[in-house]
């Protein structure tokens, strides 16, 4: 059993968990956390299956992931700005309406 | 099974366990903290996978910055009267099967991709062969700045768009409402006078080291943002009503440096986005670091601009 094998399985499990969170989470910030969890799983997957060079993991894959990490935090910051504004306007923190019971 | 694989197994179990807690927990504050922990375990995994550049970026950006942004937004929601603990609801019936099938699909793709033999002239191999020509010792920085400069330039554009988007939905800003820490207390003063300069030093070191060793503009920018976050939290700076010229120049500096140097190459008869030398790499990276730090600090403070607080 190799390290790559372990990380591929872990990333797949974490991605599945993220999908579950995205479906069941009520609070928008928890949905955002789930999205970030899914993103991290994808990054681990890209690096692991990207293959190895004599000087470590593929540098192009690493640069791609580095870019992805920064884009993820930028998107998260914008999403948080939207969530805070939505709460200020409506008093809600989820997409469920105020009177929805199910 | 070697010790290394055992460590990997432990990290993998920690990742799955933490992610489960993060998405299924009921108390948001605790789960944001666990998410930061999740980011740190990912950073450990990067270093186990032999990618120290990613480990640095993940610890500073993925765990640190994202966590700080989340906690700040959480505080704003709670200050507005939002509830922390969500009521227990019955999850949709299909949630578990959908999640399990998605995970299985990803595993299938991942394991299939693992079995594919690496082509001899993969992009990464060519990068390592041509690394000497780039004048840089760090292959990742070489890809970001020299070989795929266009991608990094557009990434700076994405960061700018995120800030503009956040400004667009900002609404009314209440100056001075942000901080609750009294910075005249000795502890906060001591913290500022020691941590702020050290953060600055680490950021510049990461930037300079990034050409040959793990590090670079993104990691440096994230560490510098840590300094900005500290200044915001201690009330050393406060939000301003509108962005002045200095703020606008700082947030576009990274993109502008890239565009100007990349486009001037065309005017001088070289290939677009080709850099004239290592000095250009340093120039662009410095501009990127400043842009990233200012943009992320403004996003954190939820402000259009910041100015020093007069005591």
């Amino acid at each position: 059993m190799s390290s790559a094998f372990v990380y591929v399985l872990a990333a797949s499990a974490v991605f599945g968990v993220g999908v579950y969170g995205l479906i069941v989470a009520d609070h928008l910030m928890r949905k955002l956390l789930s999205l970030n969890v899914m993103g991290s799983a994808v990054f681990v997957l890209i690096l692991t299956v990207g293959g190895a060079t004599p000087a470590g993991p593929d540098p192009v894959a690493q640069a791609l992931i580095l870019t992805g990490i920064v884009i993820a935090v930028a998107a998260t910051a914008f999403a948080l700005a939207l969530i805070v504004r939505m709460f200020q306007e409506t008093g809600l923190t989820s997409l469920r309406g105020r009177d929805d019971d199910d | 099974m070697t010790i290394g694989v055992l460590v990997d197994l432990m990290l993998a179990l920690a990742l799955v366990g933490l992610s489960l807690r993060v998405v299924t927990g009921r108390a948001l504050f605790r789960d944001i903290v666990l998410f930061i922990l999740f980011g740190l375990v990912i950073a450990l995994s990067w270093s186990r996978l032999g990618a120290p550049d990613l480990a640095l970026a993940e610890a500073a950006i993925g765990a640190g910055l994202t966590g700080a942004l989340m906690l700040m937004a959480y505080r704003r929601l709670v200050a507005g009267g939002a509830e922390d603990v969500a009521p227990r609801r019955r999850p949709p019936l299909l949630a578990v099967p959908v999640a399990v099938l998605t995970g299985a699909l990803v595993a299938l793709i991942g394991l299939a991709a693992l079995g594919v033999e690496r082509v001899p002239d993969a992009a990464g191999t060519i990068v390592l062969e041509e690394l000497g020509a780039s004048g840089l010792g760090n292959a990742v920085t070489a890809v970001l700045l020299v070989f795929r400069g266009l991608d990094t330039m557009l990434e700076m554009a994405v960061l700018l768009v995120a800030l503009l988007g956040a400004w667009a939905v900002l609404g009314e800003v209440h100056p001075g409402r942000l901080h609750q820490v009294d910075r005249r207390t000795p502890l906060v003063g001591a913290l500022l006078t020691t941590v702020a300069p050290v953060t600055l030093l680490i950021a510049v070191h990461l930037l300079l080291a990034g050409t040959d060793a793990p590090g670079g503009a993104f990691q440096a920018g994230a560490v510098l943002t840590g300094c900005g976050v500290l200044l915001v939290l201690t009330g050393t700076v406060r939000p301003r009503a509108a962005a002045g010229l200095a703020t606008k120049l700082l947030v576009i500096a990274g993109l502008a440096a890239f565009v100007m140097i990349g486009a001037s190459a065309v005017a001088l008869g070289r290939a677009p986005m080709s850099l004239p030398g290592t000095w250009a790499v340093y120039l662009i990276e410095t501009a990127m670091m400043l842009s990233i730090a200012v943009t992320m600090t403004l996003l954190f403070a939820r402000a259009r601009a910041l100015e020093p607080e007069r005591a």
Side-chain angles (χ1 to χ4, degrees), chain A residues 82-97:
Chain A
L82 283 175
I83 293 173
V84 170
R85 182 65 195 270
M86 183 186 130
F87 176 70
Q88 285 175 349
E89 296 290 326
T90 65
L92 298 174
T93 55
S94 77
L95 293 177
R96 205 182 290 269

Side-chain angles (χ1 to χ4, degrees), chain B residues 89-182:
Chain B
R89 282 207 172 86
R90 204 147 46 88
L93 272 179
L94 280 175
V96 172
V98 166
V100 169
L101 283 177
T102 318
L105 185 65
V106 173
L108 195 70
I109 297 170
L111 292 177
L114 261 192
V116 176
E117 202 169 322
R118 191 180 161 81
V119 290
D121 54 350
T125 316
I126 297 173
V127 164
L128 290 172
E129 280 166 7
E130 301 290 326
L131 192 56
S134 74
L136 304 177
N138 181 346
V140 180
T141 306
V143 173
L144 285 173
L145 270 292
V146 180
F147 296 114
R148 298 294 311 179
L150 191 65
D151 297 345
T152 314
M153 185 189 88
L154 292 175
E155 178 182 1
M156 295 309 292
V158 170
L159 210 56
L160 187 62
V161 169
L163 181 67
L164 294 178
W167 279 354
V169 297
L170 193 58
E172 203 179 330
V173 182
H174 308 281
R177 255 193 54 198
L178 213 55
H179 67 276
Q180 290 166 349
V181 184
D182 185 1

Side-chain angles (χ1 to χ4, degrees), chain A residues 4-17 19 41-42 44-46 48-49, chain B residues 16 98-116:
Chain A
F5 183 73
V6 172
Y7 281 110
V8 165
L9 286 188
S12 312
V14 171
F15 190 88
V17 169
V19 170
V42 172
V44 172
L45 204 65
I46 291 177
T48 326
V49 303
Chain B
V16 177
V98 166
V100 169
L101 283 177
T102 318
L105 185 65
V106 173
L108 195 70
I109 297 170
L111 292 177
L114 261 192
V116 176

Side-chain angles (χ1 to χ4, degrees), chain B residues 12 14 19 23 25 60 71 84 124 156 198:
Chain B
S19 63
V23 304
L71 287 175
D84 178 34
M156 295 309 292
V198 170

Side-chain angles (χ1 to χ4, degrees), chain B residues 187-203:
Chain B
L187 208 58
V188 171
L191 183 79
L192 270 181
T193 47
T194 50
V195 176
V198 170
T199 320
L200 209 63
L201 201 65
I202 295 173

